[in-house]
Structures are given as C-alpha cells and as structure tokens.
Amino acid sequence: MSEKIYDVPAAWAKKAWLNDAKYKKMYAASIKDPDKFWGEHGKRIDWFKPYSKVRNASYKPGKVSIKWFEDGTTNVAYNCVDRHLATRAKQTAIIWEGDDPSESKKITYGQLHTEVCKFANVLKAKGVKKGDRVTIYLPMIPEAAYAMLACARIGAVHSVVFGGFSPDSLANRIEDADSKVVITADEGLRGGRPVPLKKNVDAADDKVKGGIGTVIVVKRTGGHVTMKEGRDVWYHDEAAKASGHCPPAEMKAEDPLFVLYTSGSTGKPKGVLHTTAGYLVYASMTHQYVFDYHDGEIYWCTADVGWVTGHSYILYGPLANGATTLMFEGIPTYPTISRFWDVVDKHKVNTFYTAPTAIRSLMGAGEEPVKKTKRKSLRLLGSVGEPINPEAWEWYHRVVGDDRCPIVDTWWQTETGGILITPLPGATKLKPGSATRPFFGVKPELVDAEGKVLEGAAEGNLVIAESWPGQMRTVYGDHKRFEETYFATYPNKYFTGDGCRRDADGYYWITGRVDDVINVSGHRMGTAEVESALVAHPKVSEAAVVGYPHDIKGQGIYAYVTLMAGEKANEDLRKELVAHVRKEIGPIASPDLIQFAPGLPKTRSGKIMRRILRKIAEDEFGALGDTSTLADPAVVDDLIKNRQNKR
Ligand code: WTA
C-alpha cells in the first residue's frame, strides 16, 4: 500500500465547487443535522409539490424502513429533461459514440425531450401503466436512455438487464420483476461483432412462466431477426405513430424508479429497488461535486447502462445537472487500443470515469498507444467498481492524465445508489489506492466480527451507520431478504459486505469483499450462482467456486469440480463446462480455472470449507490454518498437488 500523497493542485482548490475547508464544514453539518442539511439540498431538484418531511429511516431489526422527502412529489424525467428546456434546448445532452468510429451523433435536450415523450407514448400504447415493470435489454445506444427516461416519465419501473447476460439470466430477471414488456434491439455491436439480443429474448421467452406479453425491438444493425406475430413490434413503426408530447406523471418521492439485479453471497440475484426523489437528489449531488461538474463540460463514464454506474453516472446524475454526457457503444480495444483516448480527443472530453480493470488491461500495451493521442481536454479522471492497485493508479495519473489530472477513486455499490466514499478533486489530497473520505451525510464505521466499533486507525468490516437519500429501499418483492442481507449482521447498521482499513489520516482503503461475492473485471458475481450453474451440468456432482488474484481482472474465477462417478476429467470436459457456465449465466461468469477434484474439504457436518479452497486458489498453502476438523484431511493434499496455475 502506497503512502505517497498528491496535493490538490492550486488551480483546482480555487476554481472547484469545494475546497478542503468547505468540505469539512459541509460534512460536519451533514452529520450533525441531516434533516437540515438534506432539507436544503433536496431543493436541488424541482418538485411538483414540495416536501415538508425530510428523513424517516429506521434500521431497527424487523422494522427496517427508509423514506426520504416522503410527502413531496416530482418526476425524474421532468428533472432530467424538461426543466432544462428553457435554457438548454439546443445544448447537447448526449453524445453517442458508436462501436465503429465513423458513427457518432449528438442529441440536444430539445431532441431528447421529443424522443423520451415518443417512447413514453409507445409504452402507454402497449398498455404500460404507473408501477408496471419494464425490462430493458438494449445495447449502448441512445434508445436505452430514451427507454429508461420514458419509464420514469410515466411512472413505470425499469429493470435494465446487461446485454452480456444469457437468455436464462434474462428470463429469471423478467420473471422475478414480473415484467410484461421487454425492450430490446435486433442486435448489439461490440468490437465489430454482433450480439444476438433479440434471439436471446426469444430464447428467454420460452423459459418465462406465462411468457412475455410484448417485445419492442429497436433496429440497430439490421441483422436478421424473426418477429413473432402478436408479441413483437418494431420500435420505429410504433414511434412513427406516437406523439412527441407526453406529460410527466406526478410521482411520490418514494414511488419506485427502478429495479436492478445484483449478485449476493447466496441464492439468485436480488432486485435492488431504488425510488424516485432521494435517489435523484443523491445521484445529481454526487455527480456535481465528485466530478466537479461545471456547465459546458463534456463528461464521459465508460460503464454500460446495464450496471448501476450507468444508471447513476451516465444517465440520471449528469442529466439532472444539465450536463453533456457521452455514451459509448464499443470497447476500449476496437478498432485499436487507443480508442478511449481517440474518443477523448474527438469529443474533447473533460472528465473520464472508468474501471481499474480497463486501466490494467491497457497498461499491458505500454504507453505509446496513449501518448500518441493528445488528451489536452482532460481535467479529471475517475475510477470505480473494484479496488485500484497503486501501480495502476500511478499509471493512470502519469500516462493518461499527464500528471495533471486528479483521480477520484469512488467507492459505492448498486445498493447505495450513488458514491459514498470518494475524493473531491478540489478538496482532497490523494493517496493512490485509497477512496479517501466519506461524501456528505455518509457515516462509515469499521466493526470487528462481533460488531464492536473500531476507532482511529483500524481494519474491519465496513458498515454505514445512518441512512442517506440514495440508499436502496428494499429487495423487490422480498423485504425480509433485504433486512437479512444488510441489517442482520450488525443490528442498526447497513452492512456493505466490504472489508476496509482506515489510516491515521482518517482515509478509507477498501480491501475487497468479505462475503462470497467476487469482483471479476469490476463485475459483481456470487460464487453460489456460478456453482449452481456448474452443478446443473449432468456430469458434475459438486462444485465450489472462489476468487483468486488476477493481474487484469482483479479477481479471476476458480472452480473446484467433483464429477459424477464414472465421468472422465479431461480438457474437453473443461471446455464444455466453461461453455456451459457462459450459456447459463453469460460470458462474464466464465471460470478462468477449473480444477477437477475427487473430493472437497468438508467439516464432519458436511459444510464445504471455503477458507481452505480460497487459500489454495490464492497460492497460499502456508496459511491453510487448522485442517484437523475436516472429515477427510487427505483431500487437501490432493487439491494442493493438482492446483491449477494462474494464467
Ligand atoms: C467494489 C459498483 C474498491 C466493492 C458501483 C463493492 C470498490 C462492489 C470500489 C459493488 C472502489 C466498487 N474501490 N472497491 N472504488 N467501487 N467496489 O454493486 O467491493 O457492481 O461492494 O457497484 O464493488 O459493486 P457494484
């Protein structure tokens, strides 16, 4: 862990929204009197009916309930689009950069308004009403933004599913959210290769109980698809009939805005539910201060809208602030490994926000592909999704940012709605690898296994002691699971699932997940999900999955597999199992290493000892700890002997 310190550049401290003294003052105020603090900052969005209550949150066991601004009414699409029309109708809202560098376009706030209204009217014509769930399975095209905002406009609840998920994963999410309408495209395009989205929806439909009612298909590539009579419609046909006016629905502050599925340590992915006003206040406020957003700047977050980062920091935060946000369809290495920096130069990007895994993979190709581009417009860099190792941080700072741009290492989660721990570029001295200090209203604590709060410099589990407006409100359809997952481990606190160290300066260093969640290339994955995909294969009797350190992905997926009696372990079967997991979950869940094991280490009561499997995968045989409680200690020797090597 590096302790090198980067001071705030003098120019930044002067012109940024916040300097260190202002941050400290506002932070103290936000903790001392949250009602007063958020009562004032809640006004950053427009309200149809103002709120009189600010915060009403309880983390009490069995009675967890979180409400913000509950008696106010507003509309998210109105705040992201309509309220800017008077001053920004001709300003670019979205710059879209296609997979192919010859394709790009700019959408003004005025055009965005028309497109969102049209999409909203198409949804209405298909029978979508306030409170209905709509599943969105689209590539990174402007229609994804239109569709999400259209749902928000009429009060429908969107559930965006990342285009890399398989038909099975898609079907599970459609069924859990009980969506009758799915919005997709004929195909996506990534790195010049088509992604068969519509075909995946067709395959998913066969698995959804009761089937999907309506599929709205956006034409992206023109690739061949089969349209099912009575179920499928082309978006362009419907839009041609739709009006460009649609009044925004009056929504209560606590009406649901979206569901987004994310992986946990057990069971199937959870539908994280976010509501209207608190989410938008928090997303827009963090976007303004963390990225020090000023009018006229070009802001680019490279995430996909299928993840929470895309929701909060491509769409809702920036648009609520009247920003120009860039949406990128492609990948960092196509057509060349300079693509990110070419796009920065092409659109004069000022703020660039990406994941450490992208930085690490580009680092491997050396400095030349970066240095041959100008990047003069850049002023700020951001990182999200996983811990950034100091080497990657330094490279990002020196090579990409020419030693000139601060880096904001932002820690947060799907559940938190927005950034919770982060530097503020005009206020915070940076330490490579540290997410530094909490945002306003965020009260992080470190606790030991017994829940004792640790003071000063310490390492423990990260919990958040008080509610903040962007916090998730429940697990869709399963409030009990919400309470059990986040509020049962340490009563009266929100448990993040992350480990963390706080240094003597009060800086936070996230050390990674402490539960059975792994983070592969910034994608969150439950080991249990990969295990259940593996055991669904007829030749597999048992499987245990753990993470191991991977140079580029951060963590790789290591699977221990026990075969059914009589099955032969060989290279072909290994490939078959990888293909099987890709089919069940999606390519992001492909195991990196599979070890065939005659037996797994179990306690006498039959519980798999993951601690041991983790240590073997991490190559730390010396630290296996006590193995004497194992039912059959000999299995460990075999596991060590046949350990798969890191690639
Ligand atoms: C990890 C992504 C270290 C963490 C926004 C968290 C990070 C999980 C950082 C949430 C960071 C995210 N430093 N770790 N800056 N940002 N994480 O829900 O383990 O996809 O719990 O949200 O990613 O992942 P999720």
Side-chain angles (χ1 to χ4, degrees), residues 68-268:
W68 284 84
F69 313 111
E70 59 187 299
D71 59 345
T73 67
T74 182
N75 180 285
V76 166
Y78 176 86
N79 273 285
C80 290
V81 187
D82 305 43
R83 71 160 169 165
H84 304 310
L85 292 178
T87 51
R88 304 181 193 275
K90 296 206 167 68
Q91 182 203 306
T92 301
I94 298 174
I95 300 175
W96 177 74
E97 170 76 12
D99 184 56
D100 187 309
S102 69
E103 272 194 292
S104 62
K105 65 177 167 190
K106 293 182 176 168
I107 298 119
T108 65
Y109 274 96
Q111 291 165 331
L112 182 61
H113 180 253
T114 310
E115 296 292 349
V116 171
C117 286
K118 275 197 180 165
F119 218 123
N121 284 324
V122 169
L123 293 176
K124 276 185 172 174
K126 290 287 152 204
V128 177
K129 298 202 171 48
K130 208 183 214 182
D132 289 352
R133 278 80 48 216
V134 172
T135 296
I136 299 178
Y137 185 64
L138 281 172
M140 286 288 286
I141 53 177
E143 285 78 3
Y146 308 158
M148 289 164 79
L149 289 163
C151 288
R153 194 167 191 86
I154 62 172
V157 182
H158 59 68
S159 162
V160 183
V161 178
F162 174 59
F165 279 119
S166 68
D168 278 75
S169 300
L170 175 61
N172 289 336
R173 286 158 173 78
I174 293 171
E175 208 169 274
D176 187 84
D178 190 20
S179 349
K180 302 284 179 260
V181 174
V182 175
I183 304 169
T184 191
D186 48 2
E187 294 174 321
L189 205 53
R190 279 171 65 76
R193 275 192 227 124
V195 184
L197 296 175
K198 172 65 167 64
K199 220 170 119 200
N200 288 348
V201 173
D202 294 340
D205 193 13
D206 297 339
K207 300 172 200 243
V208 173
K209 252 190 253 120
I212 304 169
T214 303
V215 181
I216 301 174
V217 189
V218 176
K219 187 173 258 179
R220 165 61 188 106
T221 63
H224 175 75
V225 294
T226 7
M227 299 291 279
K228 186 171 162 193
E229 192 63 44
R231 182 194 68 178
D232 302 347
V233 292
W234 284 107
Y235 176 67
H236 57 263
D237 290 341
E238 302 303 306
K241 296 181 266 180
S243 147
H245 293 278
C246 172
E250 181 170 359
M251 303 302 289
K252 294 197 193 107
E254 285 300 332
D255 279 339
L257 176 65
F258 66 83
V259 175
L260 185 57
Y261 286 84
T262 193
S263 298
S265 43
T266 53
K268 55 180 186 141

Side-chain angles (χ1 to χ4, degrees), residues 483-622:
E483 297 206 347
E484 279 165 5
T485 309
Y486 303 105
F487 301 95
T489 322
Y490 303 107
N492 295 307
K493 324 231 157 170
Y494 166 78
F495 178 40
T496 64
D498 278 317
C500 184
R501 178 171 77 86
R502 184 173 48 222
D503 69 17
D505 295 327
Y507 274 38
Y508 290 84
W509 301 73
I510 308 295
T511 52
R513 302 288 304 196
V514 293
D515 52 10
D516 288 321
V517 171
I518 51 180
N519 195 325
V520 183
S521 300
H523 297 151
R524 226 169 115 165
M525 196 99 48
T527 51
E529 281 171 77
V530 185
E531 286 165 7
S532 59
L534 283 166
V535 295
H537 190 282
K539 293 181 185 162
V540 173
S541 131
E542 214 171 15
V545 168
V546 297
Y548 72 95
H550 187 288
D551 287 346
I552 290 172
K553 299 178 176 186
Q555 280 188 299
I557 300 179
Y558 196 113
Y560 297 88
V561 170
T562 309
L563 296 175
M564 295 286 189
E567 296 297 344
K568 273 233 167 52
N570 57 38
E571 224 21 66
D572 284 346
L573 182 54
R574 197 172 262 138
K575 283 193 191 124
E576 195 178 314
L577 292 179
V578 171
H580 172 75
V581 174
R582 290 171 72 94
K583 191 185 131 292
E584 292 270 315
I585 305 177
I588 55 173
S590 306
D592 296 279
L593 297 171
I594 294 181
Q595 175 170 359
F596 293 111
L600 297 174
K602 287 183 187 166
T603 60
R604 284 185 200 109
S605 60
K607 202 167 155 322
I608 294 178
M609 292 193 70
R610 292 169 171 283
R611 176 176 55 82
I612 292 174
L613 295 175
R614 234 177 265 134
K615 290 291 175 207
I616 294 173
E618 285 166 5
D619 213 352
E620 289 191 23
F621 310 136

